[in-house]
Amino acid sequence: MDAANAYVAHEGGNTPGLSQRDRDILEFERHWWKFAGAKEQAVREKFDMGSTRYYRVLNALIDRPEALEADPLLVRRLRRLRASRQRQRSARRLGFEV
């Protein structure tokens, strides 16, 4: 799916397999920097969950094919960021610099 089709698919809003909360989380990740204050506070206010729970839900969500279909650019970016952080943590544990 190319970027133009991904945008059209996103605008439809009827992604099968994703709950409204899942769609809201993807939307929040797309625009969280627009919220005033810390991201953790915005997560608590918008989703009524702590940051640890939110990131667990988010990580499970970006592993789902439905999320990739709904917003491929965002999901791929989030997966890349997650993989980069995992590599950095592993390198620190082993005493390497990445």
Side-chain angles (χ1 to χ4, degrees):
M1 178 180 288
D2 63 7
N5 289 334
Y7 182 74
V8 171
H10 166 67
E11 289 301 312
N14 293 331
T15 308
L18 290 181
S19 68
Q20 183 61 46
R21 182 187 75 164
D22 294 340
R23 288 189 295 273
D24 290 344
I25 287 173
L26 290 175
E27 182 68 24
F28 177 77
E29 281 299 314
R30 196 175 303 110
H31 301 291
W32 71 265
W33 49 271
K34 292 181 181 179
F35 290 88
K39 183 177 182 180
E40 288 76 19
Q41 182 63 30
V43 164
R44 187 169 303 283
E45 290 171 3
K46 185 162 178 70
F47 299 108
D48 194 31
M49 65 175 78
S51 59
T52 302
R53 173 78 177 134
Y54 173 79
Y55 286 112
R56 285 183 182 167
V57 170
L58 176 63
N59 278 311
L61 177 60
I62 65 175
D63 285 334
R64 294 177 52 197
E66 297 91 353
L68 183 62
E69 185 178 320
D71 195 339
L73 297 175
L74 174 68
V75 171
R76 286 186 187 123
R77 180 175 60 85
L78 292 172
R79 287 177 178 179
R80 277 193 312 272
L81 289 170
R82 178 179 64 184
S84 173
R85 287 189 301 268
Q86 287 172 339
R87 281 191 303 273
Q88 289 173 351
R89 279 193 303 272
S90 294
R92 276 196 308 267
R93 282 188 213 128
L94 296 172
F96 297 118
E97 286 294 320
V98 176

